[in-house]
Amino acid sequence: MEMIDRALLVVEDTVCCNGGGDGGVLVKGCEAEAIMRSTEKEMESSEEDDDFPSIESITPQSKIDSSYQSHTEKGIRKVCCELLDLKDAVENLCGNMQTKYLAFSRMSEEVVEMEHELVELRKHISAQGILVQDLMTGVCRELEEWNSANGNIGDCQQDPLVDELQSSLLSDADNRKAIFLENIDVLLAEHKVEEAVEALEAEEKNCPELKGPGDTSSMELSSYRSAFLKRKSMLEDQLIEITEQPLVSILELKKALSALIKLGKGPLAHQLLLKSYGSRLQKSIELFLPSCSVYPKTFPATLSRLVFSIISVTTKESGLIFGDNPVYTNRVVQWVEWEIEYFVRLVKENAPSSEKLFALGTASNCVQASLTYSSMLESQGLKLSKLLLVLLRPYIEEVLELIFRWARRAALDVTEIDESSLLSPRSMSPLSAFATLSDSVLVDSGMKFMDIIEDILAQLTPMAVLHFGANVLTRISQLFDKYMDMLIKSLPGPSDDDNLTELKEVIHFRAETDSEQLALLGLAFTILDELLPLAVIKVWSLTNESKELESENIVPNASITAELKEWKRSLQHSFDKLRDHFCRQYVLTFIYSRQGKTRLNALIYLSGEGADSYWDFDPLPSLPFQALFSKLQQLATVAGDVLLGKEKIQKILLARLTETVVMWLSEEQEFWDVFEDESVPLKPLGLQQLILDMHFTVEIARFAGYPSRHVHQIASAIIARAIRTFSARGIDPQSALPEDEWFVETARTAINKLLLGTSGSDTSEIDEDHIIIHDEMVSDSDETASSLSSIESFKSFASANMGELDSPVYFTDPEG
């Protein structure tokens, strides 16, 4: 219509411009002028082609104007008439459509009103039928009472009108039943399930025999009961169909389940409730699973929220609809357990490869989220934590096994060290202090080891630490033990451990000098004493502060403390292997020459001629023990530089070295065989010298600041064994030995002499092959005092005095 109106306006404007005369200027005339101009241009172009154009081909302007003006005006008038006709037709069409639409709307409203009236009329008829039925039933009851009151008359005198009335009542009852069944059929056809349920309930109240097994003696009642049960079954099928619809709302679902309960189908309704929520959960999971690969670490948290939210809603709805019936509660619990098993299976199937580091993060997030949500369900009577832990434990242990298998390969393979990780801020650790004192590969391996441990610990959540922390600590200690085995292979000397053969191919550095070996021990001790406990306690402290654990009324401090103590003992045992290996090889290198001969043998205690006078003049420890003192001074000086600020490890090493010497002497049977050989003469001076050496060893430890009960015990055992051995050879210890105080004082005096360089005899000089013992007595010589036998050396030697190793049982062998 709008387009037609515009066309008409254009035409009217055109006519107005023409002025109503034939001589006016029209639009079409303008078009004619344009055509004429184009014609002239064509003529001009043709003149260019033809040198002599024909003048007769030119049409006069007046003829063109008259011709086009007449044709244009007629055409415009014709178009105007057609547009007016079209406008009238469109207006008529719009009017007819609007009229018909109004009529249709009015008819629709009338149909709806008629439907409501029919429903009300049907209800009214049903009510009237029930009223008539009640009235007829009452009349029959009155007649029966009247007949029983006038029973004397006899059956033969019964009024025929009564029989007619009774037969009519029976026919009316049949009609009422037929109407009821027809009404139920209508309600079922219209899917008005609520009204159908109410009608069936009312009919069961009016006819209690419909609920029972039925009276087979009455064919009419049996037939009606069958028809009634058939309609009831059809209604149940409709209700089941409603609950199984994929888009059914929660309100409609509740109404359908309530209707089934009214029909006496409570177990079926509860089964449908669980089935409906299970299908909802299944659809939600199917929609979510494709995104698991996008968020591989956090998807268990979202999946847990989906599963446990449906479980919570299902449990609440079951309680509201079915109450606290134990039968239904047990079914809910069984359904929940099945859903949780399905949840754990989904996590396993969609988790990333267990060899990847963030697979542990995925497992930890699964534990954290699922246990947190399960604790929220405890208020609804569902305790699922134990079931979750039972189902998750194999999965978590499998992930931990593969992760630490990867960690073992990565930590022990020093050829593949990521340089970027060594430049990270985390690499600026206490281990960097050993970089200039040892092979850089050693320091890099230590940093890589700690990077791996910290990356693993970063994946753990508080719940994972609480329930699987002991497993993680055990595997960390095992990894540390493997790392210690690798460091043992880096020390010189053969290894006595058979289980280290697998590490022969991965030895890429060797600690040869004392400084390199001490740096290796310092690195291992720094990891043991500082870095590992700091990294673990940082994660474990978050567990203590976790709010989720407070909600579970769990007090993790006691269990976590016990786990950490046991873990530290395990780490210490692994480090003790490295420490003992170093001390054993160091002492054996001191005791044995390269030719395999021992420098510390029993021959030094078999005194010769003139020894008694020497002993009375200047009693000193034997030369091997003087050399041991000098060797320990050297090592203490180097340790003071290499292990600067780590007095604890200095004390540990020096104490263990001293213990190793006396332990070797106690266990070396060849040493004691010499004394037990009756062909070898023994003298009291040899026993005195041995006892003095033992006291000297104890005093070395005491003066150096690492007194050890273990050293004292072993030295006492050696002295007791020596006294027994010499006594068996006929030497009386009571007459041959001075008091114990004399030995202690002599040992202390000897230490002072050796330190101050005032001894009348030169100390032993140690080279790589043998101990050179000077028989000459050199006095007042500046060259006799070694540079190690000075006050500065003693300060360095005793710099580890912290007063905390009075009983270093923790750092010694378990036998001590």
Side-chain angles (χ1 to χ4, degrees), residues 1 8 238 280 292 321 405 457 512 633 641 671 677 683 762 769 802:
M1 287 292 295
L8 290 173
Q238 285 191 6
R280 291 171 185 269
C292 292
I321 298 175
R405 190 179 299 173
L457 293 176
E512 298 290 349
Q633 281 185 284
D641 296 333
F671 178 85
D677 188 0
K683 291 187 178 182
D762 192 11
D769 297 327
M802 296 192 300

PDB file of all heavy atoms in Angstrom, residues 1 8 238 280 292 321 405 457 512 633 641 671 677 683 762 769 802:
ATOM      1  N   MET A   1       0.823  -1.206   0.000  1.00  0.00           N
ATOM      2  CA  MET A   1       0.000   0.000   0.000  1.00  0.00           C
ATOM      3  C   MET A   1       0.858   1.256   0.000  1.00  0.00           C
ATOM      4  O   MET A   1       0.562   2.229  -0.700  1.00  0.00           O
ATOM      5  CB  MET A   1      -0.923  -0.002   1.225  1.00  0.00           C
ATOM      6  CG  MET A   1      -2.078  -0.987   1.134  1.00  0.00           C
ATOM      7  SD  MET A   1      -3.256  -0.487  -0.134  1.00  0.00           S
ATOM      8  CE  MET A   1      -3.854   1.054   0.565  1.00  0.00           C
ATOM      9  N   LEU A   8       1.301   7.072  -6.706  1.00  0.00           N
ATOM     10  CA  LEU A   8       0.233   8.032  -7.011  1.00  0.00           C
ATOM     11  C   LEU A   8       0.682   9.458  -6.786  1.00  0.00           C
ATOM     12  O   LEU A   8       0.368  10.365  -7.562  1.00  0.00           O
ATOM     13  CB  LEU A   8      -0.994   7.724  -6.172  1.00  0.00           C
ATOM     14  CG  LEU A   8      -1.732   6.433  -6.557  1.00  0.00           C
ATOM     15  CD1 LEU A   8      -2.836   6.140  -5.550  1.00  0.00           C
ATOM     16  CD2 LEU A   8      -2.344   6.555  -7.961  1.00  0.00           C
ATOM     17  N   GLN A 238       0.661 -43.908  32.102  1.00  0.00           N
ATOM     18  CA  GLN A 238       0.780 -42.498  31.750  1.00  0.00           C
ATOM     19  C   GLN A 238       1.715 -41.763  32.710  1.00  0.00           C
ATOM     20  O   GLN A 238       2.527 -40.923  32.295  1.00  0.00           O
ATOM     21  CB  GLN A 238      -0.610 -41.830  31.765  1.00  0.00           C
ATOM     22  CG  GLN A 238      -1.471 -42.195  30.579  1.00  0.00           C
ATOM     23  CD  GLN A 238      -2.710 -41.315  30.489  1.00  0.00           C
ATOM     24  OE1 GLN A 238      -2.867 -40.365  31.248  1.00  0.00           O
ATOM     25  NE2 GLN A 238      -3.595 -41.648  29.557  1.00  0.00           N
ATOM     26  N   ARG A 280      19.350 -37.393  34.357  1.00  0.00           N
ATOM     27  CA  ARG A 280      19.767 -35.988  34.334  1.00  0.00           C
ATOM     28  C   ARG A 280      21.278 -35.871  34.526  1.00  0.00           C
ATOM     29  O   ARG A 280      21.962 -35.107  33.835  1.00  0.00           O
ATOM     30  CB  ARG A 280      19.047 -35.204  35.430  1.00  0.00           C
ATOM     31  CG  ARG A 280      17.563 -35.019  35.189  1.00  0.00           C
ATOM     32  CD  ARG A 280      16.890 -34.428  36.431  1.00  0.00           C
ATOM     33  NE  ARG A 280      15.452 -34.351  36.267  1.00  0.00           N
ATOM     34  CZ  ARG A 280      14.808 -33.287  35.782  1.00  0.00           C
ATOM     35  NH1 ARG A 280      15.498 -32.212  35.438  1.00  0.00           N
ATOM     36  NH2 ARG A 280      13.496 -33.289  35.647  1.00  0.00           N
ATOM     37  N   CYS A 292      36.943 -32.057  29.069  1.00  0.00           N
ATOM     38  CA  CYS A 292      37.944 -32.577  30.011  1.00  0.00           C
ATOM     39  C   CYS A 292      39.358 -32.416  29.471  1.00  0.00           C
ATOM     40  O   CYS A 292      40.287 -32.133  30.230  1.00  0.00           O
ATOM     41  CB  CYS A 292      37.662 -34.050  30.315  1.00  0.00           C
ATOM     42  SG  CYS A 292      36.149 -34.320  31.264  1.00  0.00           S
ATOM     43  N   ILE A 321       9.588 -36.657  49.665  1.00  0.00           N
ATOM     44  CA  ILE A 321       8.473 -37.382  49.050  1.00  0.00           C
ATOM     45  C   ILE A 321       8.174 -38.687  49.775  1.00  0.00           C
ATOM     46  O   ILE A 321       7.004 -39.022  50.013  1.00  0.00           O
ATOM     47  CB  ILE A 321       8.785 -37.652  47.558  1.00  0.00           C
ATOM     48  CG1 ILE A 321       8.940 -36.317  46.806  1.00  0.00           C
ATOM     49  CG2 ILE A 321       7.673 -38.483  46.929  1.00  0.00           C
ATOM     50  CD1 ILE A 321       9.369 -36.488  45.362  1.00  0.00           C
ATOM     51  N   ARG A 405      58.345 -42.876  39.443  1.00  0.00           N
ATOM     52  CA  ARG A 405      59.208 -43.607  38.520  1.00  0.00           C
ATOM     53  C   ARG A 405      59.832 -42.641  37.517  1.00  0.00           C
ATOM     54  O   ARG A 405      61.020 -42.715  37.198  1.00  0.00           O
ATOM     55  CB  ARG A 405      58.393 -44.682  37.797  1.00  0.00           C
ATOM     56  CG  ARG A 405      59.221 -45.650  36.994  1.00  0.00           C
ATOM     57  CD  ARG A 405      58.323 -46.686  36.337  1.00  0.00           C
ATOM     58  NE  ARG A 405      57.587 -47.463  37.322  1.00  0.00           N
ATOM     59  CZ  ARG A 405      56.641 -48.338  37.016  1.00  0.00           C
ATOM     60  NH1 ARG A 405      56.325 -48.536  35.727  1.00  0.00           N
ATOM     61  NH2 ARG A 405      56.015 -49.005  37.961  1.00  0.00           N
ATOM     62  N   LEU A 457      55.432 -31.784  44.999  1.00  0.00           N
ATOM     63  CA  LEU A 457      54.694 -31.309  46.173  1.00  0.00           C
ATOM     64  C   LEU A 457      53.695 -30.215  45.804  1.00  0.00           C
ATOM     65  O   LEU A 457      52.654 -30.075  46.456  1.00  0.00           O
ATOM     66  CB  LEU A 457      55.682 -30.783  47.222  1.00  0.00           C
ATOM     67  CG  LEU A 457      56.596 -31.826  47.867  1.00  0.00           C
ATOM     68  CD1 LEU A 457      57.588 -31.161  48.795  1.00  0.00           C
ATOM     69  CD2 LEU A 457      55.788 -32.871  48.624  1.00  0.00           C
ATOM     70  N   GLU A 512      87.170 -36.469  43.810  1.00  0.00           N
ATOM     71  CA  GLU A 512      88.475 -37.044  44.109  1.00  0.00           C
ATOM     72  C   GLU A 512      89.128 -36.396  45.331  1.00  0.00           C
ATOM     73  O   GLU A 512      89.610 -37.085  46.227  1.00  0.00           O
ATOM     74  CB  GLU A 512      89.400 -36.893  42.889  1.00  0.00           C
ATOM     75  CG  GLU A 512      88.906 -37.613  41.642  1.00  0.00           C
ATOM     76  CD  GLU A 512      88.986 -39.128  41.766  1.00  0.00           C
ATOM     77  OE1 GLU A 512      89.607 -39.625  42.727  1.00  0.00           O
ATOM     78  OE2 GLU A 512      88.419 -39.819  40.895  1.00  0.00           O
ATOM     79  N   GLN A 633      93.005 -32.875  61.672  1.00  0.00           N
ATOM     80  CA  GLN A 633      93.203 -31.433  61.617  1.00  0.00           C
ATOM     81  C   GLN A 633      93.130 -30.924  60.182  1.00  0.00           C
ATOM     82  O   GLN A 633      92.515 -29.894  59.897  1.00  0.00           O
ATOM     83  CB  GLN A 633      94.561 -31.066  62.227  1.00  0.00           C
ATOM     84  CG  GLN A 633      94.581 -31.049  63.749  1.00  0.00           C
ATOM     85  CD  GLN A 633      95.925 -30.566  64.257  1.00  0.00           C
ATOM     86  OE1 GLN A 633      96.900 -31.310  64.232  1.00  0.00           O
ATOM     87  NE2 GLN A 633      95.964 -29.334  64.698  1.00  0.00           N
ATOM     88  N   ASP A 641      86.423 -24.436  55.414  1.00  0.00           N
ATOM     89  CA  ASP A 641      86.285 -23.604  54.219  1.00  0.00           C
ATOM     90  C   ASP A 641      85.119 -24.072  53.340  1.00  0.00           C
ATOM     91  O   ASP A 641      84.317 -23.266  52.851  1.00  0.00           O
ATOM     92  CB  ASP A 641      87.579 -23.629  53.410  1.00  0.00           C
ATOM     93  CG  ASP A 641      88.742 -23.016  54.180  1.00  0.00           C
ATOM     94  OD1 ASP A 641      88.481 -22.149  55.040  1.00  0.00           O
ATOM     95  OD2 ASP A 641      89.899 -23.425  53.935  1.00  0.00           O
ATOM     96  N   PHE A 671      94.439 -57.888  64.002  1.00  0.00           N
ATOM     97  CA  PHE A 671      95.094 -57.081  65.030  1.00  0.00           C
ATOM     98  C   PHE A 671      95.126 -57.828  66.360  1.00  0.00           C
ATOM     99  O   PHE A 671      96.164 -57.868  67.041  1.00  0.00           O
ATOM    100  CB  PHE A 671      94.345 -55.750  65.155  1.00  0.00           C
ATOM    101  CG  PHE A 671      94.879 -54.832  66.215  1.00  0.00           C
ATOM    102  CD1 PHE A 671      95.941 -53.988  65.957  1.00  0.00           C
ATOM    103  CD2 PHE A 671      94.315 -54.814  67.490  1.00  0.00           C
ATOM    104  CE1 PHE A 671      96.424 -53.131  66.944  1.00  0.00           C
ATOM    105  CE2 PHE A 671      94.796 -53.967  68.468  1.00  0.00           C
ATOM    106  CZ  PHE A 671      95.850 -53.127  68.198  1.00  0.00           C
ATOM    107  N   ASP A 677      98.670 -64.652  69.980  1.00  0.00           N
ATOM    108  CA  ASP A 677      99.698 -65.602  69.569  1.00  0.00           C
ATOM    109  C   ASP A 677     100.736 -65.740  70.698  1.00  0.00           C
ATOM    110  O   ASP A 677     101.428 -64.772  71.050  1.00  0.00           O
ATOM    111  CB  ASP A 677     100.368 -65.111  68.288  1.00  0.00           C
ATOM    112  CG  ASP A 677     101.314 -66.154  67.719  1.00  0.00           C
ATOM    113  OD1 ASP A 677     101.443 -67.253  68.320  1.00  0.00           O
ATOM    114  OD2 ASP A 677     101.927 -65.870  66.670  1.00  0.00           O
ATOM    115  N   LYS A 683     104.635 -57.165  76.571  1.00  0.00           N
ATOM    116  CA  LYS A 683     105.155 -56.452  77.729  1.00  0.00           C
ATOM    117  C   LYS A 683     104.105 -55.466  78.222  1.00  0.00           C
ATOM    118  O   LYS A 683     103.237 -55.018  77.454  1.00  0.00           O
ATOM    119  CB  LYS A 683     106.438 -55.716  77.366  1.00  0.00           C
ATOM    120  CG  LYS A 683     107.616 -56.648  77.088  1.00  0.00           C
ATOM    121  CD  LYS A 683     108.901 -55.869  76.901  1.00  0.00           C
ATOM    122  CE  LYS A 683     110.083 -56.822  76.679  1.00  0.00           C
ATOM    123  NZ  LYS A 683     111.354 -56.087  76.533  1.00  0.00           N
ATOM    124  N   ASP A 762     109.349 -35.426  66.908  1.00  0.00           N
ATOM    125  CA  ASP A 762     108.592 -34.976  65.744  1.00  0.00           C
ATOM    126  C   ASP A 762     107.400 -35.883  65.505  1.00  0.00           C
ATOM    127  O   ASP A 762     107.438 -37.071  65.752  1.00  0.00           O
ATOM    128  CB  ASP A 762     109.511 -35.001  64.523  1.00  0.00           C
ATOM    129  CG  ASP A 762     108.886 -34.288  63.352  1.00  0.00           C
ATOM    130  OD1 ASP A 762     107.867 -33.625  63.583  1.00  0.00           O
ATOM    131  OD2 ASP A 762     109.437 -34.405  62.246  1.00  0.00           O
ATOM    132  N   ASP A 769     101.853 -43.255  50.633  1.00  0.00           N
ATOM    133  CA  ASP A 769     102.141 -44.678  50.708  1.00  0.00           C
ATOM    134  C   ASP A 769     102.463 -45.177  52.106  1.00  0.00           C
ATOM    135  O   ASP A 769     102.188 -46.325  52.421  1.00  0.00           O
ATOM    136  CB  ASP A 769     103.303 -45.030  49.788  1.00  0.00           C
ATOM    137  CG  ASP A 769     102.950 -44.760  48.342  1.00  0.00           C
ATOM    138  OD1 ASP A 769     101.762 -44.928  48.029  1.00  0.00           O
ATOM    139  OD2 ASP A 769     103.837 -44.398  47.552  1.00  0.00           O
ATOM    140  N   MET A 802      79.370 -26.764  69.178  1.00  0.00           N
ATOM    141  CA  MET A 802      78.083 -26.139  69.421  1.00  0.00           C
ATOM    142  C   MET A 802      77.426 -26.683  70.668  1.00  0.00           C
ATOM    143  O   MET A 802      76.320 -26.295  71.013  1.00  0.00           O
ATOM    144  CB  MET A 802      77.141 -26.333  68.229  1.00  0.00           C
ATOM    145  CG  MET A 802      77.628 -25.671  66.962  1.00  0.00           C
ATOM    146  SD  MET A 802      76.349 -25.639  65.711  1.00  0.00           S
ATOM    147  CE  MET A 802      76.047 -27.389  65.531  1.00  0.00           C
TER     148      MET A 802
END
